[in-house]
C-alpha cells in the first residue's frame, strides 16, 4: 500500500534490507559497477522472486531466465511473499560480467529480512461481493464496492454516566465496545527486527478530530485495559513490542458527516528503520485503511412501527387513550412523556426525529434533537439517550431558529426512482421558501447536516405560505399493496370544494361542520352553503391550492411520481396573519402505524348519519387495505394549530436495504 522502496547494493560490503511480504522492492545496481561491465545475472534464494522490467511496454520477466545486458533503463524488482524466520535469512546475488572475461568481474549480495505487516478491518460489508484484494486506501460505494464502516458512538451504554459514550477518552463499560469497529494490526517476522525498527500507528490532525482509537493493553474483559491512543490531540502512537501475531484496536466515531467533514477517516501504520545511529529514522512501509462514518438515516412512515411517543398534558387524556389504543392494534410499544417532564409542551413531533445508524456489526436508533428548544428540549437527551439509543443535535450559533426548524418540517419519502436515479432509502423532505425569496428556511446547520449524510438527498418544498410552516401540514405517505408500494397524500382544497358541491347538489347544503365539538371554547358551526358562499374563503383556498400544486410538481419530478401515486385528501385552510392554517382538523396530518391510521377527526358535515369528510377519506384509503381511526384532537391540538402527527412520534424498523450498497 506504499511507494516502492529502493535499495542500493554495494560491491564493497554486503547490504541488508527489510522488505514487506507481497510488496515490491527495487534494487539499484548502478551506483557501484565494476569497470568493463556489459552484462549481469541476478539470482535469489528460495522464497525470493526476482524480476527484470526492461521497459513499460515489455512488462516484466523472471530475472533468472538469462543473462541481461547492462542498461541503466532496467528495473530489478524483488518480491518476497512469506515472512522470514531469522534476520537476513534470504538474499539476492548480482554478478557482473564482461564478454572479455570468463569469470564474473564482481559480486554484490543483498541480504533480506521479510516481515508481513497489515492493518486490517472489515472491508467487505454485508451484501457486497467478497473481494480477495481491494485497495484499502479507497472507500467505494455500491454492491461491488468496499470499505470499512465506523459508527458514531453517540449512545450511552453506561447508565451511570451523564454524557454520551464518545464524550470522553475512556471505555466505561464493555458493552461500549460493541459500538466500535475493530482494527487489527498483524505482524509476522523475526522478533529481533524490532530491536531497531518501530511500528507507528498514526493519522492526520484533521482526521483525529472525527474518530478515537483505543488499544487493549491488558485483559480484554477489563475496561481499564482500553487505552486511548489516537484521536483528538493524539495523532501518533508507537505500538509496543508484543508477543503474538496481532494487536486489536477499537475505533469509535466522534461526529457525523457534516459541511466540514466528508465522513472519511484514514489510519496508517508505518514501519520505521531506526538501525543507523548516524541518521534519522527512515520509513520502510506504510499500510492504510479508510473508514466511512455511517450516516444518520431517517425512516419513512411506510416502514413498520416499533414504538409510539406521545405527551400527556393538561387537556389531552382522551387523545392519549386513543393513541394508546391505536398503538395496541398496531402491536407497538407506547411511551408517554409525563406532564412534569414536558411542562405542557405537547409537540413531540417537532422536538425530535427518530432515525438510526448501521454498520455490518451493529444497528441502533439515534434521535435527532431539533433546535426548537421548547419545554420538551431535555426529553431526547434525558429520556431517550441510553444503551443502544444514540443522540445527535445541530444548533446554530446565532438566533436564526424559526418555526421551520421544528421537525414536523422534516419528513422522508419511501424508496423512489426519479430521473433514472435510484433512491433506495428515499429522499428527505424539508420546507422552505420559494427560490429567490426572502422567507423562512430551515437553519443552515440543519440543512448542512442533512445534505452531508448523502444517502437521502433532501428536497426543499415551499411551506412559507403556512403559518406554522411544516411539510406535514399538506402531505403524508401511507403503505399500499400495489404500484410503488405507497401513496402520497396531499391536502386538496379543490377536492374539498368538489365534495361539498356534490353534497349541496344532493340537497345537503344545510349540513353543518364542527357539530359535536367539545371543548373550553364554543365553536360556531358552519354549513356547507356558508362555506360555498364565502368568497374570501374560496379565494384564499385557490391561493393555497396553487401553493400545494407547486409542491405537487416538485414532488412528482424529484420523487419520480405520477398522478396514480397521489391521493388528494379534501382539506380547507383559512388565513391568520397572512398565513394559512387548517380550517378544520388537517386530515393528512395523521399517525401511520402500518395499516392502522390515526387521522384527525374533521367534524365535517353529518349526512345520513356519517361525516362526509370521514366517509370520503375512508373511500380513498380503505381499498388499499388501510384501517382509518378518526381521533378527536380538536381542542388539545387543532385549536393550537397542530394535529395528530404533530402530537406523536414513531420509532420504526430500519430499512432492510443496507446504505453502503447504494451509489449516491
Amino acid at each position: 500500500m506504499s511507494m516502492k522502496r529502493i535499495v542500493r547494493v554495494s560491491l564493497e560490503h554486503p547490504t541488508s534490507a527489510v522488505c514487506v511480504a507481497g510488496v515490491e522492492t527495487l534494487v539499484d545496481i548502478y551506483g557501484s559497477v565494476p569497470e568493463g561491465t556489459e552484462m549481469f545475472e541476478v539470482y535469489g534464494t528460495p522464497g525470493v522472486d526476482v524480476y527484470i522490467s526492461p521497459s513499460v511496454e515489455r512488462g516484466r520477466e523472471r530475472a533468472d531466465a538469462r543473462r541481461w545486458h547492462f542498461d541503466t533503463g532496467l528495473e530489478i524488482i524483488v518480491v518476497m511473499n512469506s515472512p522470514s524466520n531469522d534476520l537476513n535469512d534470504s538474499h539476492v546475488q548480482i554478478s557482473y560480467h564482461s564478454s572479455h572475461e570468463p569469470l564474473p568481474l564482481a559480486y554484490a549480495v543483498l541480504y533480506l529480512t521479510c516481515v508481513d505487516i497489515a492493518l486490517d478491518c472489515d472491508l467487505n460489508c454485508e451484501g457486497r461481493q467478497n473481494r480477495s484484494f481491494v485497495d484499502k486506501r479507497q472507500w467505494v460505494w455500491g454492491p461491488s464496492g468496499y470499505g470499512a464502516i465506523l459508527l458514531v458512538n453517540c449512545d450511552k451504554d453506561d447508565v451511570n454516566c451523564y454524557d454520551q459514550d464518545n464524550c470522553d477518552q475512556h471505555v466505561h463499560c464493555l458493552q461500549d465496545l460493541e459500538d466500535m469497529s475493530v482494527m487489527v494490526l498483524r505482524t509476522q517476522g523475526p522478533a529481533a527486527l524490532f530491536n531497531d525498527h518501530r511500528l507507528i500507528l498514526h493519522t492526520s490532525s484533521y482526521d483525529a478530530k472525527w474518530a478515537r482509537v483505543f488499544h487493549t493493553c491488558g485483559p480484554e474483559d477489563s475496561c481499564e485495559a482500553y487505552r486511548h491512543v489516537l484521536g483528538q490531540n493524539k495523532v501518533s502512537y508507537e505500538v509496543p513490542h508484543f508477543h503474538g501475531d496481532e494487536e486489536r484496536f477499537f475505533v469509535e466515531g466522534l461526529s457525523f458527516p457534516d459541511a466540514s467533514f466528508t465522513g472519511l477517516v484514514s489510519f496508517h501504520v508505518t514501519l520505521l528503520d531506526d538501525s543507523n545511529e548516524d541518521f534519522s529514522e527512515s520509513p520502510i512501509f506504510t499500510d492504510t485503511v479508510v473508514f466511512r462514518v455511517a450516516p444518520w438515516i431517517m425512516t419513512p412512515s411506510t416502514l413498520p412501527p416499533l414504538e409510539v411517543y406521545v405527551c400527556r398534558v393538561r387537556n389531552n387524556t382522551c387523545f392519549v387513550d386513543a393513541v394508546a389504543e391505536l398503538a395496541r392494534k398496531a402491536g407497538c410499544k407506547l411511551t408517554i412523556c409525563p406532564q412534569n417532564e414536558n411542562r405542557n409542551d405537547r409537540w413531540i413531533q417537532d422536538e425530535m426525529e427518530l432515525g438510526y445508524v448501521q454498520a455490518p456489526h451493529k444497528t441502533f436508533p439515534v434521535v435527532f434533537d431539533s433546535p426548537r428548544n421548547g419545554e420538551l428540549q431535555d426529553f431526547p437527551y434525558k429520556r431517550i439517550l441510553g444503551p443502544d439509543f444514540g443522540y445527535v443535535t445541530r444548533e446554530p450559533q446565532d438566533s436564526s431558529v424559526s418555526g421551520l426548524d421544528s421537525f414536523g418540517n422534516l419528513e422522508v419519502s419511501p424508496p423512489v426512482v426519479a430521473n433514472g436515479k435510484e433512491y433506495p432509502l428515499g429522499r428527505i423532505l424539508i420546507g422552505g421558501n420559494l427560490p429567490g425569496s426572502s422567507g423562512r428556511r430551515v437553519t443552515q446547520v440543519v440543512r448542512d447536516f442533512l445534505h452531508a449524510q448523502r444517502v437521502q438527498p433532501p428536497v426543499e418544498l415551499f411551506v412559507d405560505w403556512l403559518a406554522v410552516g411544516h411539510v406535514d401540514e399538506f402531505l403524508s405517505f401511507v403503505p399500499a399493496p400495489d404500484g410503488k408500494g405507497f401513496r402520497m397524500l396531499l391536502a386538496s382544497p379543490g377536492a374539498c370544494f368538489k365534495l361539498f358541491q356534490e353534497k349541496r347538489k344532493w340537497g345537503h347544503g344545510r349540513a353543518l361542520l364542527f357539530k359535536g365539538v367539545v371543548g373550553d371554547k364554543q365553536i360556531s358551526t358552519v354549513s356547507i352553503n356558508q362555506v360555498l358562499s364565502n368568497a374570501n374563503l374560496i379565494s384564499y383556498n385557490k391561493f393555497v391550492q396553487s401553493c400545494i400544486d407547486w409542491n405537487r410538481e416538485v414532488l412528482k419530478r424529484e420523487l419520480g411520481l405520477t398522478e396514480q401515486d397521489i391521493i388528494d385528501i379534501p382539506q380547507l385552510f383559512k388565513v391568520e396573519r397572512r398565513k394559512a392554517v387548517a380550517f378544520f382538523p388537517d386530515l393528512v396530518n395523521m399517525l401511520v402505524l402500518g395499516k392502522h391510521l390515526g387521522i384527525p377527526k374533521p367534524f365535517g358535515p353529518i349526512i345520513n348519519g356519517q361525516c362526509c369528510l370521514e366517509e370520503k377519506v375512508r373511500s380513498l384509503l380503505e381499498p388499499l387495505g388501510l384501517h382509518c381511526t378518526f381521533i378527536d384532537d380538536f381542542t388539545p391540538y387543532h385549536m393550537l394549530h397542530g394535529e395528530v402527527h404533530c402530537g406523536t412520534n414513531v420509532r420504526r424498523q430500519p430499512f432492510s436495504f443496507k446504505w453502503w450498497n447504494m451509489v449516491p
Side-chain angles (χ1 to χ4, degrees):
M1 291 296 176
S2 61
M3 300 272 299
K4 293 178 184 176
R5 189 179 182 221
I6 300 176
V7 178
R8 292 176 174 82
V9 296
S10 170
L11 296 174
E12 299 173 358
H13 52 77
T15 306
S16 297
V18 175
C19 63
V20 176
V23 178
E24 297 179 353
T25 299
L26 298 183
V27 180
D28 181 359
I29 65 172
Y30 303 107
S32 179
V33 181
E35 187 175 347
T37 297
E38 298 174 20
M39 291 171 289
F40 68 91
E41 293 179 352
V42 185
Y43 295 95
T45 52
V48 181
D49 295 326
V50 186
Y51 302 93
I52 301 294
S53 179
S55 66
V56 174
E57 292 77 15
R58 289 180 56 186
R60 63 176 61 178
E61 302 175 35
R62 290 195 64 88
D64 56 7
R66 58 188 176 90
R67 188 173 289 183
W68 299 87
H69 286 283
F70 194 83
D71 182 349
T72 56
L74 294 177
E75 280 189 344
I76 301 176
I77 302 166
V78 173
V79 180
M80 295 184 68
N81 291 311
S82 299
S84 299
N85 294 316
D86 299 297
L87 294 177
N88 300 326
D89 63 357
S90 300
H91 69 266
V92 171
Q93 178 177 286
I94 302 102
S95 57
Y96 300 86
H97 298 268
S98 168
S99 58
H100 305 295
E101 299 290 340
L103 298 176
L105 301 177
Y107 293 94
V109 178
L110 172 63
Y111 288 98
L112 296 171
T113 303
C114 183
V115 61
D116 192 0
I117 297 173
L119 191 60
D120 289 326
C121 48
D122 181 9
L123 300 176
N124 297 303
C125 300
E126 180 182 343
R128 289 176 160 184
Q129 299 172 3
N130 187 25
R131 307 172 76 87
S132 58
F133 174 79
V134 296
D135 185 350
K136 295 183 290 185
R137 297 168 297 180
Q138 304 294 323
W139 205 98
V140 180
W141 293 87
S144 299
Y146 50 85
I149 292 171
L150 194 59
L151 293 174
V152 177
N153 193 11
C154 58
D155 66 341
K156 186 177 68 171
D157 289 312
D158 187 348
V159 295
N160 296 316
C161 290
Y162 177 78
D163 291 325
Q164 295 160 266
D165 290 340
N166 62 4
C167 285
D168 62 26
Q169 301 175 357
H170 303 282
V171 174
H172 292 284
C173 66
L174 295 178
Q175 289 76 16
D176 192 16
L177 299 171
E178 297 174 6
D179 303 333
M180 302 186 195
S181 295
V182 177
M183 182 169 64
V184 180
L185 173 60
R186 294 184 172 89
T187 304
Q188 289 182 289
L193 176 72
F194 294 98
N195 293 334
D196 52 15
H197 289 74
R198 299 195 301 146
L199 278 173
I200 305 296
L201 191 69
H202 57 104
T203 189
S204 68
S205 57
Y206 175 81
D207 285 355
K209 295 186 293 185
W210 314 117
R212 187 184 288 121
V213 179
F214 295 92
H215 184 206
T216 50
C217 301
E220 290 197 354
D221 59 355
S222 169
C223 292
E224 289 71 25
Y226 296 89
R227 175 186 171 196
H228 169 226
V229 297
L230 277 186
Q232 294 179 306
N233 60 334
K234 296 184 178 182
V235 296
S236 65
Y237 169 64
E238 181 176 352
V239 182
H241 295 298
F242 52 87
H243 304 286
D245 292 340
E246 64 179 46
E247 289 287 293
R248 279 159 47 98
F249 298 86
F250 292 84
V251 190
E252 66 176 359
L254 301 181
S255 182
F256 285 96
D258 217 322
S260 60
F261 175 41
T262 64
L264 294 176
V265 179
S266 297
F267 295 103
H268 321 274
V269 64
T270 295
L271 178 65
L272 294 178
D273 183 352
D274 195 23
S275 60
N276 195 320
E277 297 180 357
D278 298 326
F279 302 102
S280 60
E281 296 173 306
S282 60
I284 294 176
F285 170 77
T286 296
D287 201 10
T288 297
V289 294
V290 176
F291 288 90
R292 182 176 291 280
V293 174
W296 178 76
I297 301 173
M298 290 180 64
T299 53
S301 57
T302 50
L303 285 175
L306 298 174
E307 184 174 7
V308 178
Y309 295 82
V310 65
C311 291
R312 189 183 298 282
V313 294
R314 185 181 63 253
N315 62 344
N316 76 338
T317 299
C318 293
F319 177 85
V320 172
D321 291 346
V323 170
E325 175 61 17
L326 196 71
R328 186 194 65 78
K329 290 179 180 177
C332 52
K333 179 182 176 182
L334 177 71
T335 294
I336 299 174
C337 176
Q339 189 171 355
N340 65 330
E341 292 185 22
N342 64 56
R343 291 167 289 190
N344 233 40
D345 183 354
R346 66 203 70 202
W347 309 116
I348 198 163
Q349 180 68 224
D350 289 342
E351 182 58 41
M352 62 188 190
E353 186 68 36
L354 297 163
Y356 69 95
V357 293
Q358 187 170 52
H361 67 282
K362 187 71 177 282
T363 301
F364 61 83
V366 175
V367 58
F368 185 11
D369 191 359
S370 80
R372 74 182 277 264
N373 291 340
E375 296 299 322
L376 268 171
Q377 64 177 323
D378 295 333
F379 180 74
Y381 196 86
K382 290 185 177 180
R383 282 289 304 273
I384 294 184
L385 170 64
D388 288 339
F389 210 132
Y391 173 93
V392 65
T393 190
R394 289 293 182 272
E395 294 195 18
Q397 298 297 315
D398 54 25
S399 57
S400 60
V401 174
S402 72
L404 272 63
D405 295 307
S406 296
F407 284 171
N409 193 33
L410 175 60
E411 298 297 323
V412 66
S413 79
V416 293
V417 178
N419 304 309
K421 172 101 178 131
E422 294 185 11
Y423 300 95
L425 301 176
R427 299 191 70 177
I428 288 171
L429 306 175
I430 57 174
N433 53 29
L434 286 173
S437 68
S438 58
R440 297 168 294 171
R441 291 188 78 189
V442 173
T443 189
Q444 187 71 50
V445 292
V446 171
R447 281 185 282 132
D448 287 344
F449 175 82
L450 297 174
H451 280 277
Q453 307 314 304
R454 297 192 63 186
V455 295
Q456 297 172 309
V459 177
E460 190 165 359
L461 301 173
F462 174 39
V463 301
D464 200 30
W465 53 276
L466 288 156
V468 176
H470 293 173
V471 292
D472 70 352
E473 295 179 79
F474 66 89
L475 71 81
S476 60
F477 296 92
V478 296
D482 56 3
K484 295 181 172 66
F486 68 90
R487 295 291 191 276
M488 182 175 70
L489 311 184
L490 286 182
S492 175
C496 189
F497 282 127
K498 181 180 179 181
L499 176 66
F500 285 0
Q501 286 163 354
E502 289 174 354
K503 298 305 178 185
R504 183 175 66 175
K505 179 180 178 181
W506 290 100
H508 302 296
R510 293 185 178 182
L512 299 174
L513 285 86
F514 309 131
K515 190 175 181 180
V517 172
V518 177
D520 299 333
K521 290 184 178 181
Q522 184 68 33
I523 304 299
S524 299
T525 57
V526 58
S527 68
I528 289 178
N529 285 337
Q530 288 173 306
V531 169
L532 294 179
S533 62
N534 188 330
N536 289 335
L537 185 66
I538 293 172
S539 175
Y540 189 71
N541 275 274
K542 286 182 178 178
F543 162 74
V544 168
Q545 187 67 64
S546 71
C547 296
I548 295 174
D549 288 345
W550 168 281
N551 289 311
R552 185 190 202 95
E553 294 308 310
V554 172
L555 289 160
K556 286 167 66 175
R557 181 177 69 249
E558 298 297 334
L559 302 184
L561 305 182
T562 66
E563 286 297 321
Q564 288 69 40
D565 303 315
I566 303 171
I567 297 176
D568 290 308
I569 301 296
Q571 185 64 48
L572 294 181
F573 294 82
K574 60 183 178 180
V575 62
E576 286 189 9
R577 298 180 182 178
R578 303 184 65 187
K579 301 286 185 180
V581 298
F583 181 68
F584 52 79
D586 192 347
L587 291 161
V588 298
N589 193 274
M590 64 179 67
L591 174 62
V592 181
L593 300 180
K595 293 184 177 181
H596 297 274
L597 308 181
I599 306 171
K601 185 175 180 61
F603 290 94
I606 305 297
I607 298 173
N608 298 327
Q610 294 286 327
C611 169
C612 69
L613 288 169
E614 291 185 19
E615 188 178 45
K616 181 64 175 178
V617 170
R618 288 185 192 278
S619 72
L620 293 169
L621 300 182
E622 289 183 349
L624 299 174
L626 302 171
H627 306 288
C628 300
T629 299
F630 291 91
I631 298 175
D632 182 359
D633 71 349
F634 202 100
T635 298
Y637 293 91
H638 173 70
M639 295 290 288
L640 300 175
H641 298 161
E643 309 290 355
V644 175
H645 186 259
C646 305
T648 56
N649 215 314
V650 184
R651 177 172 64 88
R652 301 182 183 275
Q653 284 186 17
F655 285 98
S656 58
F657 182 88
K658 310 303 182 186
W659 64 266
W660 50 82
N661 286 326
M662 72 175 291
V663 179

